[in-house]
């Protein structure tokens, strides 16, 4: 049967109508039903991590702490290396408009709590970045830091987005790590020493000042440079079998050497003002600290009758640091100022030996740099010819905070401060190569080979 156009149109209408709603009894099409409403999901969580990009700081003592996108990042204190922090949970007290940021000291694991509250604060008057204080003289937040090993610190805080320049330029996790640039150094204001001394590979004493380098003795040990960088003290052994030695002074300007004191003597150190020399002398079957005014070795006299085994240098113009096999002693003339048990200083990781060195930070007498052998060698740590693994650590006398500074895969000893206190120079053994002096910053960064020698000391 041939279909006309009208017939085809009527069939199409009927076919489309079969997909619509069925007509009601009254012939009318029922209204369309409203779509079914889906159950609502849980309410969006309210962030407790606010405010972010905060700089908290205080002036008594001087400190500052950064709070970034993940929480507390770094704590800085005047006179100490920065402390990296591992951020934890954040609690928000909405009623009080305050936040508590929890974290851990990334080295010691000590718990840290940073409390912020939104209230006008005048507890700090100086911003460590140099940013002027608000016109009102008060900052927007009150802040405090409670570190389990350190003293409680309080101050103020402000929003400081300018301190986090990478916030809008963070690399994706899928980025090729090989293409990432190395992190920028954290220490930029250090000064390289210009007057140093060390032992070369032949064991000769080398005195280097500016661009001039001299071999001043074919052998020697226990060197100490004056703070003006012009005079070198060292110990010369006078007998292969006996205890007799000579403390020698070498003057760089004149190029002359002078024998100062003879006998059972060793470990001479310049005082901070270069006006006195302290050294050890065997007396009454024990080592004791003696001293004399610079230029007058014939007037040497007993500084302290306390029996010790090692002298580690001056703490200030009137105090020296010495030790025996059990304690470290802060000594003044005929007086004992302070005692710290070496087992507390060394902890379980290091063992006490008479060859250890303890160096006082040149600007902060509370901070010590200790070189010692490990009690148990870390996995993969290299060992010397005696089978010992060695390293060095920082110790804060007041807080008893201890942080290992030397890399665990290195043998390092005889660590010394630079005069600016930002650098550490140490003797490192490298397999297949002569021992050399390496340098790192006091926060453990910036490690590099410095000179081909050992027992490095800094004058200026």
């Amino acid at each position: 049967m041939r279909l006309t156009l009208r017939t085809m149109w009527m069939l199409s209408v009927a076919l489309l109508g079969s997909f619509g709603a069925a007509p009601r009894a009254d012939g009318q099409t029922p209204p369309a039903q409203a779509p079914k409403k889906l159950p609502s999901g849980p309410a969006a969580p309210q962030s407790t991590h606010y405010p972010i990009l905060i700089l908290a700081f205080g002036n008594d003592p001087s400190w500052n702490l950064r709070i970034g996108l993940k929480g507390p990042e770094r704590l800085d204190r005047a006179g100490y290396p920065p402390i990296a922090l591992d951020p934890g949970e954040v609690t928000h007290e909405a009623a009080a408009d305050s936040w508590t940021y929890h974290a851990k000291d990334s080295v010691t694991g000590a718990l840290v709590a940073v409390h912020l509250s939104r209230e006008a604060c005048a507890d700090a008057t100086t911003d460590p970045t140099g940013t002027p204080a608000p016109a009102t003289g008060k900052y927007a937040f009150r802040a405090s830091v409670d570190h389990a090993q350190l003293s409680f610190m309080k101050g103020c805080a402000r929003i400081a987005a300018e301190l986090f320049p990478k916030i809008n330029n963070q690399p994706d996790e899928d980025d090729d790590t090989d293409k990432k640039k190395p992190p920028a150094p954290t220490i930029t204001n250090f000064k390289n020493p210009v007057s140093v001394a060390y032992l070369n590979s032949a064991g000769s004493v080398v005195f280097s000042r500016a661009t001039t380098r001299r071999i001043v003795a074919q052998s020697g040990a226990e060197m100490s440079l004056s703070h003006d960088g012009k005079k070198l003290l060292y110990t010369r052994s006078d007998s292969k079998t006996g205890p007799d030695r000579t403390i020698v002074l070498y003057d760089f300007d004149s190029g002359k050497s002078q024998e100062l004191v003879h006998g059972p003597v060793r470990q001479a150190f310049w005082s901070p003002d270069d006006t006195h020399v302290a050294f050890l002398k065997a007396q009454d079957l024990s080592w004791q600290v003696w001293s004399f005014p610079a230029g007058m070795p014939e007037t040497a006299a007993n500084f302290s009758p306390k029996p010790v085994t090692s002298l580690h240098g001056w703490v200030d113009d009137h105090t020296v640091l010495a030790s025996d096999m059990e304690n470290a002693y802060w000594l003044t003339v005929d007086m004992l100022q302070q005692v710290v048990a070496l087992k507390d200083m060394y902890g379980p990781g290091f063992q006490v030996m008479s060859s250890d060195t303890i160096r006082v930070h040149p600007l902060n007498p509370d901070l010590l740099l200790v070189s010692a052998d490990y009690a148990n060698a870390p996995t993969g740590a290299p060992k010397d010819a005696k089978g010992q693994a060695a390293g060095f650590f920082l110790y804060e006398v007041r807080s008893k905070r201890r942080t290992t500074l030397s890399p665990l895969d290195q043998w390092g000893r005889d660590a010394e401060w630079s005069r600016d206190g930002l650098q550490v120079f140490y003797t490192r053994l490298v397999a297949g190569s002569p021992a050399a002096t390496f340098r790192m910053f006091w926060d453990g960064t910036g490690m590099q080979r410095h000179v081909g020698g050992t027992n490095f000391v800094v004058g200026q």
Side-chain angles (χ1 to χ4, degrees):
M1 178 178 66
R2 186 175 180 179
L3 299 177
T4 64
L5 290 176
R6 178 177 176 80
T7 303
M8 293 176 64
W9 175 80
M10 294 178 65
L11 289 174
S12 299
V13 171
L15 182 63
L16 290 173
S18 66
F19 289 96
R24 298 188 309 192
D26 59 3
Q28 299 297 320
T29 302
Q33 295 182 356
K36 183 179 293 185
K37 187 176 181 181
L38 297 176
S40 61
Q46 297 297 315
S47 172
T48 58
H49 189 59
Y50 180 84
I52 57 175
L53 306 181
I54 285 287
L55 176 67
F57 52 92
N59 306 135
D60 187 21
S62 179
W63 63 273
N64 68 85
L65 182 143
R66 297 186 183 191
I67 301 176
L69 290 173
K70 296 182 180 180
E73 298 178 347
R74 167 172 158 165
L75 172 62
D76 288 87
R77 298 167 294 155
Y80 298 90
I83 298 176
L85 301 175
D86 297 326
E89 65 177 5
V90 185
T91 57
H92 179 205
E93 300 174 21
D97 209 10
S98 65
W99 299 261
T100 300
Y101 292 83
H102 298 277
K104 284 186 179 181
D105 186 316
S106 64
V107 174
T108 67
L111 298 179
V112 180
V114 183
H115 185 75
L116 291 176
S117 59
R118 190 187 298 276
E119 56 182 311
C121 176
D123 289 344
T125 58
T126 304
D127 186 325
T129 67
T131 301
T136 61
K138 295 182 179 182
Y139 293 92
F141 299 94
R142 190 176 298 277
S144 64
V145 179
D146 189 3
H147 187 295
Q149 293 176 299
L150 309 177
S151 59
F152 180 79
M153 296 169 281
K154 66 177 183 177
C156 301
R158 67 175 180 86
I159 297 175
E162 78 280 0
L163 297 180
F164 302 85
K166 295 182 180 180
I167 182 172
N168 294 320
N169 190 29
Q170 291 291 332
D172 295 332
E173 294 182 359
D174 297 333
D175 285 353
D176 186 351
T177 56
D178 293 336
K179 296 180 181 179
K180 294 179 182 179
K181 295 181 179 180
T186 57
I187 308 296
T188 58
N189 58 339
F190 65 96
K191 296 180 180 179
N192 286 317
V194 296
S195 179
V196 302
Y198 55 90
L199 301 181
N200 64 16
S201 58
S204 301
V205 178
V206 179
F207 190 170
S208 177
R209 189 161 180 243
T211 59
T212 304
R213 183 179 303 171
R214 298 175 184 169
I215 295 179
V216 303
Q218 294 304 310
S219 63
E222 302 173 342
M223 296 172 291
S224 175
L225 273 168
S226 59
H227 293 69
D228 62 9
K230 298 180 179 181
K231 297 178 175 63
L232 172 67
L233 296 170
Y234 66 92
T235 303
R236 183 189 71 207
S237 179
D238 295 330
S239 172
K240 294 183 179 181
T241 58
D244 287 348
R245 304 176 182 87
T246 298
I247 294 177
V248 183
L249 167 67
Y250 179 84
D251 183 275
F252 196 91
D253 290 340
S254 67
K256 296 181 179 180
S257 296
Q258 178 186 357
E259 297 181 351
L260 300 181
V261 289
H262 305 270
V265 295
R266 59 191 181 96
Q267 290 185 333
F269 287 92
W270 292 101
S271 63
D273 58 5
D274 293 334
T275 62
H276 285 76
V277 173
F279 64 99
L280 288 184
K281 181 178 180 179
Q283 186 83 1
D284 300 329
L285 301 179
S286 67
W287 292 102
Q288 298 176 9
V289 180
W290 283 53
S291 69
F292 58 85
M296 301 176 64
E298 68 279 2
T299 64
N302 187 277
F303 183 89
S304 172
K306 178 67 182 177
V308 295
T309 56
S310 299
L311 180 62
H312 303 288
W314 294 75
V315 179
D316 54 42
D317 292 339
H318 309 286
T319 310
V320 299
L321 178 62
S323 66
D324 55 23
M325 298 301 291
E326 294 185 355
N327 301 303
Y329 303 99
W330 281 250
L331 304 171
T332 57
V333 176
D334 296 328
M335 291 183 63
L336 175 60
Q337 283 196 334
Q338 186 178 5
V339 181
V340 172
L342 292 182
K343 65 178 181 179
D344 294 335
M345 183 183 297
Y346 283 53
F350 293 87
Q351 59 178 315
V352 177
M353 300 180 67
S354 60
S355 58
D356 300 342
T357 60
I358 305 174
R359 298 293 182 255
V360 181
H361 189 274
L363 304 176
N364 180 6
D366 183 59
L367 183 60
L368 306 179
L369 174 63
V370 185
S371 299
D373 288 347
Y374 287 103
N376 295 293
T379 302
K383 299 180 181 180
D384 58 20
K386 297 180 180 179
Q388 296 291 334
F392 46 92
F393 61 92
L394 299 177
Y395 184 76
E396 300 176 25
V397 179
R398 286 194 294 268
S399 69
K400 299 182 179 181
R401 183 175 183 267
R402 182 190 316 101
T403 59
T404 300
L405 188 59
S406 56
L408 298 181
D409 60 351
Q410 291 186 16
W411 187 102
R413 247 188 178 279
D414 301 316
E416 294 279 336
W417 292 109
S418 60
R419 291 300 188 198
D420 62 11
L422 297 176
Q423 304 161 85
V424 172
F425 297 89
Y426 63 99
T427 296
R428 177 182 172 186
L429 294 182
V430 180
S433 303
T437 293
F438 279 66
R439 184 220 70 182
M440 68 168 56
F441 296 126
W442 68 341
D443 63 352
T445 65
M447 184 184 65
Q448 64 181 29
R449 189 178 186 274
H450 188 73
V451 69
T454 63
N455 301 84
F456 190 87
V457 292
V458 179
Q460 190 182 43

